Every structure is written in structure tokens, then in C-alpha cells.
Amino acid sequence: MARAGREPGQAASTRRRGAALEEAILRAAAEVLRESGVPGLTMDEVARRAGTNKNALYRRWPNRVALGVAAYRRLAAARTAPPDTGSLRGDTLEMLRRANSTWSSPYGEILRGLIAAAGGTPELLAQLRDPAADGAQEAAWLTLLGRAVARGEAAPEALHPRVAYVPMALLRNEYVTLGTPAVADAVLTEIVDEVFLPLVRGRGPQGGTPTPQAPPRA
């Protein structure tokens, strides 16, 4: 029987500590975001679903927006997996198209809601607008560039985090500039063909294009 004053489902809070409790809280917050969006994200609801109390949430996040940002980053990391089309151009276009699709999907609606709720809080906005901060997106883009180097499409000098993240930076600039939930596919192609690929090819030892290597024979 639960102790007096404890809400149903909170008994487990006495047994969970540290990372286990934090994981339960983030999982509950992510569920609320998926089901009800940012307006439905409250500390009370997350605590209820996580089987804990609000104090456990406030010890880790100062408010519901900070918790929502952490939960969104968890969702975004779970959806990050680099494609492998066999070419840098194909991989880059696929990554941009995925991001473009996500921005106009329910996940994008969550992100836009969090950006609006964050208001003028620079730290939260930086976390939302720079997913490379948690390493997941940056690792994916570096993987694509690393594969291109291995195939001979790019010189080793091109393998740099700032170079790798240029396509996403330009795509995000389109969102901010246009204020739309999606960018035309022709713009994605321009980002790849007119900016990113020339940048990568210009990062050779003397600014030249590396000679493509023939694929290994079966």
C-alpha cells in the first residue's frame, strides 16, 4: 500500500536514483511531447508518468522548457543515422531531405514550439538550433565525409567538423530567413552542388580535386 500523500505510481521513485531516474523522466517527457506537443508539457504530467515527484524534475531542470529541450534532443538523437548511398552527393542530399522532412513533421512542430517557448534564453536556443552540440548530428555528418575520403571523393583535409556541418547550417539559415516549415528541394540541391561539394573539393592539399579511387573488385 502506498504511503499517504504519495500519488499512484510514485513508489518506484524511492528505488531509482541518478541516471535511471533521469532516463525515466526524459522518456516520460518525450512521450508527452509526441502526444500533446509543447502546450501539453507540464512538470506535473511528466512527474506522474515517470512515477516520481516534481522536486526530482526541478533538481535537474529549472522549468518545463528546459526539460522539453532535453527531451527533444533525446528524440532527435534517436532519429539520427547517417545514410549510405555510395556517394557524398547522394548522402548529403539524403541528410538534408531528412532534416527538411523532419522540420515540417510533428517533430518540427515540437521544435518550433520549443523555440517559441524558449523566448530569449540563449542557452536553450543554442541547444535547439545547434544539434551538433550533443555530438549526434556532427558525428553523422563527419561519418558521411569520412566515407567520402575513404572512397577518394574528398581529400583528408576536408574532414573537419565545420566543413561537415555547412549543409545543415545553410538549411537552418533558410528556415530562419524564410520562416517556412520546409525548403524547396531545388534549394537543397543548390546547397550541395553550389556550396558544399565545391568547398569539399577545394580542401585538397593544393586546393585540387582528389582523384576518385576505383571501387574494390568483388
Side-chain angles (χ1 to χ4, degrees):
M1 182 175 179
R3 294 179 184 177
R6 173 178 288 158
E7 295 182 8
Q10 290 188 349
S13 65
T14 61
R15 297 190 297 271
R16 291 175 302 174
R17 295 290 186 273
L21 179 56
E22 185 167 314
E23 172 66 17
I25 294 170
L26 288 174
R27 184 167 57 247
E31 288 175 358
V32 175
L33 283 175
R34 281 195 299 261
E35 295 173 11
S36 307
V38 176
L41 185 71
T42 66
M43 299 300 242
D44 285 318
E45 178 61 15
V46 173
R48 185 188 69 79
R49 293 196 186 206
T52 187
N53 55 67
K54 288 192 295 183
N55 288 338
L57 276 63
Y58 282 115
R59 281 196 296 270
R60 293 164 173 81
W61 300 278
N63 51 57
R64 74 182 192 98
V65 179
L67 172 58
V69 170
Y72 178 81
R73 284 160 62 86
R74 185 181 187 277
L75 287 172
R79 291 168 61 86
T80 301
D84 191 359
T85 66
S87 73
L88 179 59
R89 183 180 188 275
D91 288 348
T92 306
L93 275 173
E94 176 62 20
M95 283 286 281
L96 289 179
R97 284 167 177 159
R98 285 184 186 179
N100 203 33
S101 175
T102 297
W103 184 255
S104 59
S105 73
Y107 284 90
E109 184 176 348
I110 291 171
L111 176 57
R112 293 192 296 275
L114 286 170
I115 290 174
T121 309
E123 296 83 2
L124 295 179
L125 291 174
Q127 292 179 48
L128 286 170
R129 288 174 175 162
D130 185 13
D134 65 6
Q137 281 278 354
E138 182 176 323
W141 283 100
L142 284 172
T143 295
L144 300 190
L145 207 46
R147 289 174 183 163
V149 171
R151 288 191 298 258
E153 289 184 89
E157 289 82 358
L159 194 56
H160 188 284
R162 290 193 182 276
V163 174
Y165 207 63
V166 161
M168 276 302 298
L170 292 176
L171 178 57
R172 286 177 175 274
N173 182 67
E174 290 289 325
Y175 294 143
V176 172
T177 302
L178 301 177
T180 59
V183 174
D185 197 72
V187 175
L188 306 185
T189 302
E190 283 183 359
I191 289 174
V192 176
D193 291 341
E194 303 300 329
V195 181
F196 184 58
L197 292 181
L199 172 63
V200 169
R201 291 165 182 159
R203 295 281 294 186
Q206 296 180 350
T209 303
T211 303
Q213 299 175 355
R217 296 188 179 185

